[in-house]
Structures are given as structure tokens and as C-alpha cells.
Amino acid sequence: DAEWAGLEELLVRADVGPATATRIVKEVRERFAPGDDPRALIAEELVAILGRDHGLELPSDRLAVILVVGVNGSGKTTTIGKLAARLAAEGRTVSLAGGDTFRAAASEQLEVWAARAGAHLVAQERGADPAAVAFDAVTSAIARGVDVLIVDTAGRLHTRTPLMDELRKVRRVLEKAGGRPDEVLLVLDATTGQNGIAQAAAFAEAVEVTGVALTKLDGTAKGGIVLAVRERLGVPVKLIGTGEGIGDLETFDPHAFAERILG
Amino acid sequence: TLTGRLNAVFKKLRSRGKLHPKQVEAALADMRTALLEADVAVEVAEDLLERVRTRALSEEVMRSLTPAQQVVKVVRDELTATMGGTQAAFTLPSARPAVVMVAGVQGSGKTTACAKLARMVKEKGKHPLLVAADLQRPAAIEQLVTLGREIGVPVVSDGRDPVKVARSALKQAGREGLDVVIVDTAGRLHVDDEMMREARRVKEALRPHHVLMACDAMTGQDAVVQARAFMREVDTTGFVLTKIDGDARGGAALSITAVTGRPVFFVGTGEKLSDLEPFYPDRMASRILG
Ligand SMILES: Nc1nc2c(ncn2[C@@H]2O[C@H](COP(=O)(O)OP(=O)(O)OP(=O)(O)O)[C@@H](O)[C@H]2O)c(=O)[nH]1
Ligand SMILES: Nc1nc2c(ncn2[C@@H]2O[C@H](COP(=O)(O)OP(=O)(O)OP(=O)(O)O)[C@@H](O)[C@H]2O)c(=O)[nH]1
Ligand SMILES: [Mg+2]
Ligand SMILES: [Mg+2]
């Protein structure tokens, strides 16, 4: 009994959420047979919830477009830099769109990453309409025959309706320009608590999120909210951030993730 | 609402007249779930509920006609008290210069908080100096320079490492008669020993009057781990709880104050440099309880 309570607490401490943690333990206990290893069964259940479709789905015969969204400070711009480098290493040409036209030095920050990754950058002056930058970036990427365009956006709290409307507009304009996103990545900070679910729901509703990039897993936070995000919204984790360097990006591995949660 | 939930709990285990201890236990179990859903750290929630149990088992609550309301009141009081009770005044000594160091994990809102604080002290008639000691993040210095320009506060970043930048800034403040020095530092993980050592060295160079930890209001269980570690390494004097303008319940506010005994001085309520307000424990308690 104490062992099950201990496992449930591990899940709660991993930000899985009390209701989900209780449910997972209850369901695993129901099918528990003498001789089974409780921890291994819980790990299996976590892996089952997380699903299988963790790869980035990018076309190879036309411009691939990745839209990157999320709340303030979650790691969007840094993740874009790392992803650009990874795609370049796979032999693709990459273009970046400076869609954060709001925050101080957002352009300058993305410029550094573009240079590090060998990616072309399309940006406008601070205060420009992000949709205009998006449009320009698609047009330019198609004209240059670039393989992948990654669109950065300003951090925004999902509770701010005008900002979520702005994001909807960016997505619409990308489509209009002929750059309908192949992936819409929600960047979630692994230290985020239960609010991560509300964030994911709001961004999914606004721009149809196709995957999560879970960042800062090199810390002590476990990122357990991605379980509820997968269950309730059907959105899988595709990438994880494990540091501030250009190479600190990994494909999501549900088994390793489950192991990390259970210590 | 919490009162509604507890009413349901008490109704389910209905007994005549006096409240039964079993009902209190059921209420506490429900409270625990509610606190965890609000991102209060497990250990902090359990400590708090221990105190609530003692008070809830008192005659006054047990004989009350409205026990659910009484228990909610006890919980609210304990939450508020744990977070310091009343608004903590952020005071700077008349030393010249008064020094504030801002630290925290990546993306928690430090750079923005430094500029907001500089604007606030400038409005109070002081002459602040902003110090860009994050030499790591791409365009971190540019970010602070841009913000400083927006509020008319000078920004310096003179040196090839953060300790040198800190020392040089103190000298400059002394030369120019600037009376408040606010130092932005690089985001760092509490498990990055080298970076935590660097933070200690920067602190030693600054001998700051305040070390504020910026903490994101949407942080979950990890808030306790972060707060403890920064407390141990740089002896934080208090917190700025950022991004409170979202809809996170903000249990982190309880976690960080409970495990450090230090107050939240300010909350960040938006991205504008005027979006910095005092922290009110009672308002936060209501928010956490939902
Ligand atoms: N340790 C660690 N830090 C990270 C990781 N990903 C991003 N960061 C750091 O998190 C901070 C914020 O990253 P950004 O890329 O600026 O985040 P953002 O979402 O673009 O922020 P806004 O545009 O302001 O909303 C920076 O200090 C990054 O270096 C990660 O995987 N691990
Ligand atoms: N909505 C909202 N956004 C905020 C608040 N405080 C900061 N931000 C935003 O959060 C993001 C991160 O803020 P920064 O000040 O760059 O955070 P930081 O801690 O300096 O980040 P690093 O230096 O990379 O560790 C930016 O997009 C800010 O505009 C706040 O109170 N509310
Ligand atoms: Mg960014
Ligand atoms: Mg910063």
C-alpha cells in the first residue's frame, strides 16, 4: 500500500497532476498480479499514454513549414536555433522567420541562432506586423527553393485574446502565402505545472498544435504535464530540449521519459 | 468553489449535530487534491494541512453550524500566514549605492524584472543603474540596453565575465553618484554547479542588499527545488513572482515562501515595464484556492 502511495507521489512530483496520478495508480493496481513489479507496470502505463508518433512529419518534395508557438520564456527561439542546426545537419536548407516583432532584442537573438545554424533569416523592424513577416518569409523561402522554413513567434499568455487572435492571423497568412504549416510546435517548459494543460488546449484551439517541444529537461523538473496533454488533446511530444547549446535537442523517447519520472 | 467542494464532502459523511473527525479527514484529503491541482508542492501542502487539521479539530469548528466555511477560513488563514500575512515592503537602504541582484532559472523573467524595478525606483526619485551581467544568452545585453533606453535608465556591461561586470558597475555607480544598482544575471539551473558557483562569486563581488529570485507563477512542483537551491547558494532575500497575468493558480507562491521563509515582494503582471505590483498574500491565497 505504501509502495503504491509512494509511486503516486512520484507522479505528482513529476507534475503529472493529482487526478491523473491517482487514476494511473488505480488502473495499474487493478491489473496487478503477484510477482509483478509495480514500478515497471506504471512505467508501461506512462509509455502507453505517451503514444508512438514522435517524429517530425516534414515533406521532402516542397517547402516544409514549422510554426513555433508558446508562452513567454518557454524556449521557442532557442529551440528553433537547435532545430535549424539539426535539419541543416540532415542536409536541408533552412530559413527562419523573425515572427517576434514585439519583444526587446528578439530579432537580434534569432539572428545569432540563424548564424550559428547556417540558416537564412527573414525579419522586419521591431513593431512590424508578424503576419507580414510570415508572408514575406514564405514567399522568400519558396523563391529561394529552401527546404524548411521555421517561423518564430512572440511569447504570449494564452489568456490574452488579442494575442491569440494575432497568432490565428499568422497561421492564416502562412496558408495564404502557400506555406501552410506542416508542424505547429508548442514549446512547453518542463517546469510548468498544471497550467500547461490550459496552455496546450488554448494554443491547440487557436492554431492546431501537432506536437510539443518540451524544454529544460536538463533541470530537475520532469515535465509530467505532457501526459495529460497527450491524453486530452492527442498532442504528442516530438522534441525535448536538454540544454542551452545548439546540440541540446533530442527526439522524444517515451521510455527514457517514463524512467526519468520514476527516478 | 472550495467551500462548495467541502460542503459536498461534509454532506457525504453526514452525522447529526457535531462534526465528526472523519469528516475533517475527508475534507483534508479533498483539500490536498485542490492544493496539488493548484501546483502547491506536495511537502508544503502536507505541512499546511497538518496545521489546518489541528485548528479544524478545535471545538469552535467542530460545533459550527457552517463547518465547511469554517474549514475554508482556516485554510485561507494558514495560506495567507505562510506567505507572510501582509504585504512585505521592499526597502532599500540609504547606502550608496543600494545593490539588488536578480537571479533565477532560465526564462523566469529576470531581465524584464530588472527593468521594471529600475523604472519603479526611478519613479520614486532614485537614480538607478542597470547592469547587464548575462554574458551568455544571445542578445541578453541588447535586451537590457533596449529596455533601459525605454525608461531612460543607463545600462552598463563592462567586463569579460560577470564578476568583472559587477565590480566595474559598482565603481561606475560610485563615480556617477547613482544610488541603486540593479544587476541582471544569466538564467541558470540550480543543478548546474559551475553556474551556481558563478552566481555566488557575482554575489560576493556585489555584496548586494537584496538578492531577488524571479520565479514564474506557472511553475509546478519544481518550484520548491529551485527555491531551496537558490536560497542555499545565494541566500535570496525575496522573490518576484512573474507572469501572474496568466491563469496559473500560482501554488508556487506558497511553495517558495514556505520553504525559504522569504517573502514575495512583487508580482509581474504583464510585459510592459509598468507591469510590476506589490504582492498581497491574502489575494494570492484566494487565487490558489480558486
Ligand atoms: N537549460 C535549458 N535552458 C533552455 C532550454 N531551452 C531554452 N533555454 C533557455 O531558456 C531561456 C528562454 O529561451 P528563449 O528561447 O528566449 O525562450 P522564448 O520562448 O523564445 O522566449 P520569449 O520569446 O521571450 O517568449 C534562455 O535562457 C534559453 O537559453 C533547455 O532545453 N535547457
Ligand atoms: N505576460 C508576462 N510576460 C512576462 C512577464 N515577465 C516577463 N515576461 C516575458 O517573459 C519572457 C522572458 O522574460 P525575460 O525577462 O527575458 O526572462 P529571463 O529570466 O531574463 O530569461 P533568461 O535570461 O533567458 O533566463 C519575455 O517574453 C518577457 O516579456 C510578466 O510578468 N508577464
Ligand atoms: Mg523568443
Ligand atoms: Mg534574461
Side-chain angles (χ1 to χ4, degrees):
Chain A
D1 228 27
E3 185 170 6
W4 292 109
L7 286 169
E8 187 169 333
E9 179 163 326
L10 264 184
L11 294 178
V12 170
R13 291 218 209 162
D15 288 315
V16 166
T20 308
T22 300
R23 196 204 78 225
I24 288 175
V25 170
K26 177 167 171 288
E27 288 179 4
V28 168
R29 269 185 104 153
E30 277 166 13
R31 53 172 200 261
F32 178 82
D36 282 347
D37 172 9
R39 193 179 163 290
L41 286 183
I42 301 260
E44 272 177 35
E45 181 63 17
L46 298 181
V47 171
I49 291 170
L50 291 166
R52 289 165 186 283
D53 42 352
H54 304 294
L56 279 183
E57 313 240 337
L58 301 179
S60 45
D61 56 343
R62 57 174 169 77
L63 174 70
V65 177
I66 303 172
L67 176 63
V68 178
V69 303
V71 302
N72 308 71
S74 59
K76 297 175 292 299
T77 305
T78 306
T79 300
I80 288 171
K82 296 171 182 177
L83 185 54
R86 166 194 274 218
L87 293 168
E90 290 173 2
R92 302 187 216 229
T93 52
V94 183
S95 209
L96 303 182
D100 181 352
T101 54
F102 172 76
R103 209 204 68 212
S107 269
E108 289 84 335
Q109 184 187 8
L110 191 60
E111 263 174 47
V112 172
W113 282 109
R116 286 177 181 176
H120 178 245
L121 174 65
V122 173
Q124 291 182 19
E125 73 287 0
R126 190 179 174 202
D129 180 358
V133 178
F135 192 94
D136 273 3
V138 173
T139 310
S140 148
I142 290 175
R144 295 168 70 107
V146 154
D147 295 318
V148 189
L149 170 66
I150 312 177
V151 182
D152 193 9
T153 60
R156 70 203 66 225
L157 294 184
H158 55 288
T159 44
R160 296 211 42 201
T161 312
L163 298 185
M164 296 306 280
D165 286 342
E166 175 187 86
L167 200 57
R168 285 185 181 88
K169 182 179 172 204
V170 167
R171 169 152 194 159
R172 272 200 311 276
V173 167
L174 284 173
E175 294 191 26
K176 269 214 193 111
R180 184 181 153 283
D182 298 286
E183 290 278 359
V184 177
L185 295 180
L186 171 67
V187 180
L188 275 177
D189 187 325
T191 64
T192 309
Q194 297 311 298
N195 194 247
I197 300 162
Q199 289 175 28
F203 279 96
E205 192 279 331
V207 289
E208 295 172 40
V209 172
T210 59
V212 164
L214 185 63
T215 61
K216 308 176 198 173
L217 278 175
D218 44 319
T220 47
K222 305 294 188 284
I225 36 146
V226 297
L227 286 156
V229 169
R230 181 70 218 247
E231 271 197 323
R232 296 184 205 181
L233 304 171
V235 177
V237 179
K238 302 216 169 186
L239 297 167
I240 64 171
T242 57
E244 301 189 77
I246 199 163
D248 296 329
L249 185 73
E250 298 174 20
T251 303
F252 183 63
D253 173 356
H255 294 274
F257 184 77
E259 283 304 310
R260 192 164 174 275
I261 285 185
L262 297 172
Chain B
T1 68
L2 194 66
T3 311
R5 276 170 79 153
L6 293 188
N7 265 321
V9 166
F10 286 134
K11 268 216 184 87
K12 254 204 280 163
L13 309 179
R14 196 162 194 71
S15 65
R16 297 193 172 289
K18 185 175 169 185
L19 193 60
H20 193 281
K22 252 205 193 151
Q23 290 172 298
V24 173
E25 284 310 316
L28 290 173
D30 203 53
M31 289 288 341
R32 183 177 180 275
T33 305
L35 291 172
L36 295 178
E37 281 171 9
D39 290 324
V40 175
V42 178
E43 60 180 280
V44 172
E46 292 183 346
D47 280 352
L48 183 106
L49 291 172
E50 217 25 67
R51 294 196 294 284
V52 170
R53 174 182 286 109
T54 308
R55 287 182 59 183
L57 291 174
S58 69
E59 275 306 301
E60 154 201 22
V61 174
M62 299 298 274
R63 289 191 180 286
S64 161
L65 290 173
T66 54
Q69 279 185 35
Q70 290 286 340
V71 173
V72 171
K73 178 165 187 320
V74 169
V75 174
R76 187 184 301 277
D77 287 351
E78 284 297 330
L79 273 174
T80 306
T82 307
M83 290 190 283
T86 53
Q87 185 227 325
F90 179 73
T91 53
L92 290 173
S94 51
R96 277 167 155 273
V99 182
V100 180
M101 176 179 166
V102 178
V105 303
Q106 290 86 349
S108 54
K110 299 174 292 299
T111 304
T112 309
C114 283
K116 288 176 175 180
L117 202 57
R119 181 186 174 283
M120 177 177 279
V121 302
K122 185 178 177 193
E123 295 238 299
K124 298 218 164 99
K126 302 241 182 218
H127 303 89
L129 176 67
L130 278 167
V131 185
D134 177 358
L135 307 184
Q136 211 157 288
R137 165 177 158 147
I141 300 173
E142 285 92 320
Q143 185 184 1
L144 196 62
V145 165
T146 302
L147 296 178
R149 194 177 306 130
E150 283 176 26
I151 52 175
V153 171
V155 181
V156 291
S157 184
D158 175 22
R160 297 172 50 119
D161 69 62
V163 173
K164 290 200 177 69
V165 168
R167 287 199 188 115
S168 156
L170 290 181
K171 288 203 191 87
Q172 182 156 348
R175 280 199 306 272
E176 303 190 4
L178 299 171
D179 49 18
V180 184
V181 172
I182 299 167
V183 184
D184 186 24
T185 62
R188 70 200 67 226
L189 291 177
H190 46 289
V191 290
D192 185 334
D193 293 337
E194 198 184 315
M195 284 301 284
M196 293 309 282
R197 260 199 310 278
E198 176 196 272
R200 273 209 307 283
R201 287 202 310 273
V202 169
K203 183 190 176 205
E204 280 160 24
L206 290 174
R207 298 180 54 195
H209 302 96
H210 272 289
V211 177
L212 297 180
M213 183 182 179
C215 183
D216 194 324
M218 65 185 89
T219 310
Q221 295 290 315
D222 203 49
V224 222
V225 187
Q226 291 176 22
R228 265 209 184 99
F230 275 79
M231 181 76 191
R232 195 182 55 235
E233 300 293 334
V234 291
D235 195 17
T236 37
T237 57
F239 303 92
V240 178
L241 188 70
T242 62
K243 309 176 207 171
I244 201 85
D245 46 311
D247 58 2
R249 296 271 290 283
L254 180 68
S255 303
I256 63 186
T257 48
V259 301
T260 61
R262 297 291 149 95
V264 174
F265 287 114
F266 299 111
V267 288
T269 58
E271 293 191 78
K272 298 201 301 296
L273 298 184
S274 51
D275 292 331
L276 187 71
E277 299 182 16
F279 173 80
Y280 297 100
D282 56 350
R283 290 187 206 173
M284 195 70 213
S286 295
R287 179 176 174 138
I288 290 173
L289 291 177

